[in-house]
Each structure stands twice: as structure tokens, then as C-alpha cells.
Amino acid sequence: MPQIALIVNGTPHAVDADGDTPLLDVLRNHLGLKGTKFGCGLEQCGCCMVLIDGTPEKSCGKAVSTVAGRQIVTIEGIGTPERPHPLQLAFLDEQAGQCGYCLPGILVTAKALLDRNTAPSRAEIAAALDDNICRCGSHNRILRAVASAAERLRAGAVR
Ligand code: FES
Ligand code: FES
């Protein structure tokens, strides 16, 4: 089995996996990073979104061989319980979610948006999250939370 070199949340890994294995499987089952979720497995729901070189991409349909050597960021790389990202604090304050299953994908997608646009409009936030489905219907609170996080970041919150 070939070894594939991955950089996940800034840490290099050498993973024994077939090159066609979905990145999502490698993250969850080889590296133990369970934050990224399996939803549809068909690149339709956005549960499995991670950042690849700063761009949100669905990891369920992405062969691990195609991301060797690239910078991969999962929800575990966004913040920790001890040091949450302003997005995570805003989501808690707005109670933006019910079951929470969609939130890892939504948070990484929202982070990519705020990294490139510090003052997104509601329409821009909705467009950025267009590929992320929330089955609980928390969309309004999610949009409010992302706008609130942008405000916090503009006010100097540490990311
Ligand atoms: S699990 Fe990847 S998009 Fe649904
Ligand atoms: S909070 Fe349940 S799917 Fe979004």
C-alpha cells in the first residue's frame, strides 16, 4: 500500500491508503479526526467540507491522492474548546443549530468566507453557504451567526 503525505491542520502525516480512498475516510478512520461528518457521500450536502489550500471542498468524493502535500484544515483546526474561533462563539451565542451535524462543514465554509471578506452581506453569506445543507432548518440563525462573527473579527476578536 502506498504512503501518502498529508498536511492536516498544520501537522504532516504519512498515511497508508489506496490513492482512491476518499479524503473523508482518511481523516476520520486513519487520522481519527471525527469532526468532519459523513452525510450523503454524494457531494450533495456539505457535511464533509474541509479547507484545501484555503478553499472549502467536499471531502467525501475527493481521492486522497489528489490532496497530497496540500494544506488541509478540518474543524479541529479552526478552534478548540479552550480557544474557540469567533465563529464558534457566535454560533453558540446565536444558538445556530439544533442537532449540530451540519455545523463542522458550515463552520469551515464560513471561515473561508471571512478570511477573504471581512464584511460580507447577508446575500454573500447565503451564497457562500449555498453548498451546505442544514436539515434542521437553522439557516436564519446560521446566517446571523456568521454576520455576528464578522462583526467580532472586525472589532478585533482573535481568530
Ligand atoms: S457527505 Fe460529502 S457532501 Fe454530503
Ligand atoms: S443543525 Fe441539524 S443539520 Fe444543521
Side-chain angles (χ1 to χ4, degrees):
M1 181 109 23
Q3 277 217 329
I4 298 174
L6 296 180
I7 306 165
V8 183
N9 301 329
T11 302
H13 298 273
V15 176
D16 288 318
D18 188 279
D20 291 337
T21 308
L23 173 60
L24 177 61
D25 285 2
V26 171
L27 293 172
R28 289 182 57 84
N29 301 323
H30 292 245
L31 301 181
L33 296 169
K34 303 286 191 186
T36 307
K37 301 299 187 219
F38 180 93
C40 62
L42 297 168
E43 299 189 294
Q44 298 293 313
C45 73
C47 273
C48 63
M49 206 73 90
V50 298
L51 302 183
I52 298 177
D53 294 336
T55 299
E57 297 200 35
K58 294 161 189 157
S59 60
C60 66
K62 185 161 284 299
V64 67
S65 60
T66 65
V67 295
R70 298 173 65 187
Q71 294 288 339
I72 301 163
V73 175
T74 68
I75 187 64
E76 289 89 350
I78 303 285
T80 63
E82 299 73 32
R83 200 155 175 265
H85 189 279
L87 269 165
Q88 292 166 315
L89 293 174
F91 271 65
L92 282 172
D93 288 349
E94 294 288 341
Q95 289 291 288
Q98 291 183 46
C99 74
Y101 202 79
C102 65
L103 293 182
I106 286 176
L107 285 161
V108 298
T109 304
K111 179 176 186 301
L113 170 66
L114 299 188
D115 284 350
R116 67 175 191 275
N117 181 354
T118 55
S121 66
R122 186 178 169 90
E124 287 171 327
I125 297 168
L129 292 173
D130 199 37
D131 273 357
N132 293 84
I133 292 172
C134 173
R135 291 169 182 79
C136 296
S138 303
H139 301 92
N140 280 330
R141 280 179 281 156
I142 288 167
L143 296 180
R144 275 205 304 273
V146 176
S148 166
E151 267 180 46
R152 292 167 197 229
L153 287 163
R154 290 197 302 275
V158 178
R159 55 179 85 207

